[in-house]
Amino acid sequence: MRPRVAIAAAVSLCAGSMAHAADWEVLPFGSIGGYYESILGLSPVKAEELSVSGATASAGVALRATTPVSSLVLRPYARSTYFPGDTDSDYNNAFADLDYKRTGQRSRIAIFGQFARETVTSRVLPSTTPLGDLGNPLDSDINAAGTRSRRDNY
Protein backbone atom coordinates (compact mmCIF):
# COMPACT_ATOMS: atom_id res chain seq x y z
CA MET A 1 0.00 0.00 0.00
CA ARG A 2 2.87 2.40 0.68
CA PRO A 3 4.14 2.49 -2.92
CA ARG A 4 0.72 3.65 -4.13
CA VAL A 5 0.79 6.49 -1.60
CA ALA A 6 4.30 7.46 -2.70
CA ILE A 7 3.30 7.46 -6.37
CA ALA A 8 0.19 9.52 -5.64
CA ALA A 9 2.25 12.00 -3.61
CA ALA A 10 4.86 12.37 -6.38
CA VAL A 11 2.18 12.94 -9.03
CA SER A 12 0.34 15.48 -6.90
CA LEU A 13 3.53 17.40 -6.11
CA CYS A 14 4.55 17.52 -9.75
CA ALA A 15 1.11 18.27 -11.16
CA GLY A 16 -0.09 20.62 -8.42
CA SER A 17 1.74 23.69 -9.65
CA MET A 18 0.95 22.90 -13.29
CA ALA A 19 -2.77 22.21 -13.02
CA HIS A 20 -4.03 25.69 -13.96
CA ALA A 21 -1.56 27.20 -16.42
CA ALA A 22 -0.45 24.11 -18.32
CA ASP A 23 -1.38 22.97 -21.80
CA TRP A 24 -2.74 19.46 -21.26
CA GLU A 25 -2.70 16.68 -23.85
CA VAL A 26 -4.27 13.23 -23.68
CA LEU A 27 -2.58 10.81 -26.09
CA PRO A 28 -4.07 7.29 -26.16
CA PHE A 29 -2.06 4.49 -27.75
CA GLY A 30 -2.34 0.77 -28.34
CA SER A 31 -1.15 -2.17 -30.37
CA ILE A 32 -2.26 -5.70 -31.26
CA GLY A 33 0.00 -8.45 -32.51
CA GLY A 34 0.93 -12.10 -32.56
CA TYR A 35 3.44 -13.96 -30.42
CA TYR A 36 5.28 -17.24 -30.93
CA GLU A 37 7.97 -18.80 -28.76
CA SER A 38 9.55 -22.18 -29.42
CA ILE A 39 12.06 -22.33 -26.56
CA LEU A 40 9.77 -21.56 -23.66
CA GLY A 41 11.83 -22.10 -20.51
CA LEU A 42 14.84 -23.57 -22.36
CA SER A 43 13.81 -27.09 -21.36
CA PRO A 44 15.46 -30.28 -22.67
CA VAL A 45 12.01 -31.42 -23.81
CA LYS A 46 11.47 -31.19 -27.58
CA ALA A 47 10.57 -27.68 -28.75
CA GLU A 48 7.26 -28.82 -30.28
CA GLU A 49 6.00 -29.77 -26.83
CA LEU A 50 6.81 -26.38 -25.31
CA SER A 51 6.12 -23.95 -28.14
CA VAL A 52 3.31 -21.47 -27.62
CA SER A 53 1.61 -19.02 -29.94
CA GLY A 54 -1.10 -16.49 -29.33
CA ALA A 55 -2.15 -12.87 -29.34
CA THR A 56 -0.67 -9.91 -27.55
CA ALA A 57 -2.18 -6.48 -26.93
CA SER A 58 -1.10 -3.32 -25.18
CA ALA A 59 -2.99 -0.12 -24.46
CA GLY A 60 -2.50 3.01 -22.45
CA VAL A 61 -2.66 6.76 -22.37
CA ALA A 62 -0.02 9.48 -22.07
CA LEU A 63 -1.08 12.51 -20.06
CA ARG A 64 1.16 15.46 -20.87
CA ALA A 65 1.17 18.93 -19.28
CA THR A 66 3.52 21.65 -20.52
CA THR A 67 4.32 25.15 -19.32
CA PRO A 68 7.16 27.45 -20.41
CA VAL A 69 9.32 26.26 -17.50
CA SER A 70 8.11 22.71 -16.79
CA SER A 71 6.75 19.53 -18.30
CA LEU A 72 5.00 16.50 -16.84
CA VAL A 73 4.29 13.20 -18.59
CA LEU A 74 2.36 10.42 -16.87
CA ARG A 75 2.00 7.26 -18.96
CA PRO A 76 0.05 4.29 -17.51
CA TYR A 77 -0.31 1.28 -19.80
CA ALA A 78 -1.08 -2.44 -19.76
CA ARG A 79 0.23 -5.39 -21.76
CA SER A 80 -1.55 -8.76 -22.07
CA THR A 81 -1.01 -12.03 -23.87
CA TYR A 82 -3.41 -14.86 -24.57
CA PHE A 83 -2.27 -18.35 -25.58
CA PRO A 84 -5.26 -20.54 -26.54
CA GLY A 85 -3.31 -23.78 -26.21
CA ASP A 86 -1.47 -22.89 -22.99
CA THR A 87 -3.45 -20.61 -20.69
CA ASP A 88 -0.84 -21.09 -17.94
CA SER A 89 1.45 -18.83 -19.96
CA ASP A 90 -1.10 -15.97 -20.23
CA TYR A 91 -0.25 -12.77 -18.44
CA ASN A 92 -1.60 -9.29 -17.74
CA ASN A 93 1.02 -6.71 -16.79
CA ALA A 94 0.59 -3.10 -15.69
CA PHE A 95 3.14 -0.29 -16.01
CA ALA A 96 3.36 3.44 -15.34
CA ASP A 97 6.04 6.01 -16.15
CA LEU A 98 6.39 9.48 -14.63
CA ASP A 99 8.66 12.16 -16.10
CA TYR A 100 8.78 15.65 -14.58
CA LYS A 101 11.16 18.47 -15.54
CA ARG A 102 11.35 22.04 -14.33
CA THR A 103 13.88 24.64 -15.36
CA GLY A 104 14.32 27.77 -13.27
CA GLN A 105 16.66 30.72 -13.70
CA ARG A 106 19.40 29.06 -11.69
CA SER A 107 18.23 25.48 -11.23
CA ARG A 108 17.00 22.38 -13.00
CA ILE A 109 14.87 19.68 -11.46
CA ALA A 110 14.14 16.32 -13.04
CA ILE A 111 12.15 13.47 -11.52
CA PHE A 112 11.72 10.15 -13.31
CA GLY A 113 9.90 7.16 -11.92
CA GLN A 114 8.65 3.81 -13.13
CA PHE A 115 6.18 1.28 -11.78
CA ALA A 116 5.78 -2.28 -13.05
CA ARG A 117 3.54 -5.12 -11.92
CA GLU A 118 4.54 -8.14 -13.95
CA THR A 119 3.87 -11.85 -14.08
CA VAL A 120 7.16 -13.71 -14.10
CA THR A 121 7.36 -17.33 -15.22
CA SER A 122 10.52 -19.24 -14.44
CA ARG A 123 11.30 -22.80 -15.37
CA VAL A 124 13.50 -24.98 -13.20
CA LEU A 125 14.86 -28.40 -13.97
CA PRO A 126 14.33 -31.17 -11.42
CA SER A 127 17.05 -32.14 -9.00
CA THR A 128 19.73 -34.62 -10.03
CA THR A 129 19.45 -36.35 -6.66
CA PRO A 130 18.20 -39.93 -7.18
CA LEU A 131 14.73 -40.62 -5.85
CA GLY A 132 13.88 -43.85 -4.03
CA ASP A 133 16.04 -46.50 -2.40
CA LEU A 134 19.24 -47.95 -3.75
CA GLY A 135 18.30 -50.56 -6.35
CA ASN A 136 14.66 -49.33 -6.46
CA PRO A 137 14.73 -45.89 -8.07
CA LEU A 138 11.48 -44.04 -8.60
CA ASP A 139 10.62 -42.78 -12.05
CA SER A 140 11.46 -39.10 -12.18
CA ASP A 141 9.88 -36.56 -14.45
CA ILE A 142 12.50 -34.94 -16.68
CA ASN A 143 10.25 -32.08 -17.73
CA ALA A 144 10.90 -28.61 -16.49
CA ALA A 145 8.66 -27.42 -13.68
CA GLY A 146 7.19 -23.94 -14.10
CA THR A 147 6.54 -21.44 -11.35
CA ARG A 148 4.60 -18.19 -11.72
CA SER A 149 4.91 -15.21 -9.44
CA ARG A 150 4.04 -11.50 -9.37
CA ARG A 151 6.82 -8.92 -9.31
CA ASP A 152 6.32 -5.29 -8.37
CA ASN A 153 9.03 -2.77 -9.29
CA TYR A 154 8.92 0.84 -8.12
Side-chain angles (χ1 to χ4, degrees):
M1 191 68 165
R2 289 183 189 163
R4 291 182 185 162
V5 173
I7 292 169
V11 169
S12 64
L13 285 174
C14 296
S17 64
M18 301 179 62
H20 300 291
D23 292 328
W24 284 88
E25 293 178 286
V26 177
L27 307 166
F29 60 91
S31 66
I32 298 174
Y35 185 85
Y36 175 78
E37 185 173 349
S38 64
I39 57 170
L40 185 67
L42 298 174
S43 174
V45 178
K46 292 189 297 185
E48 296 85 31
E49 295 177 17
L50 288 178
S51 64
V52 293
S53 62
T56 181
S58 63
V61 64
L63 305 170
R64 185 181 307 174
T66 308
T67 68
V69 296
S70 62
S71 68
L72 169 69
V73 178
L74 178 62
R75 193 174 82 115
Y77 59 101
R79 186 178 306 139
S80 298
T81 61
Y82 171 68
F83 300 112
D86 185 16
T87 57
D88 289 337
S89 296
D90 292 351
Y91 62 83
N92 297 309
N93 296 334
F95 305 92
D97 298 334
L98 171 70
D99 188 10
Y100 175 73
K101 296 176 185 164
R102 180 174 173 83
T103 305
Q105 291 180 350
R106 297 175 54 182
S107 65
R108 286 187 186 167
I109 298 172
I111 298 172
F112 181 76
Q114 290 183 316
F115 168 81
R117 174 166 282 169
E118 299 177 277
T119 300
V120 179
T121 303
S122 61
R123 306 266 185 207
V124 294
L125 294 175
S127 172
T128 58
T129 306
L131 300 174
D133 296 329
L134 186 61
N136 292 322
L138 296 175
D139 290 334
S140 64
D141 187 6
I142 62 167
N143 292 334
T147 59
R148 291 174 58 97
S149 61
R150 297 292 293 178
R151 175 173 65 186
D152 293 339
N153 295 328
Y154 308 105

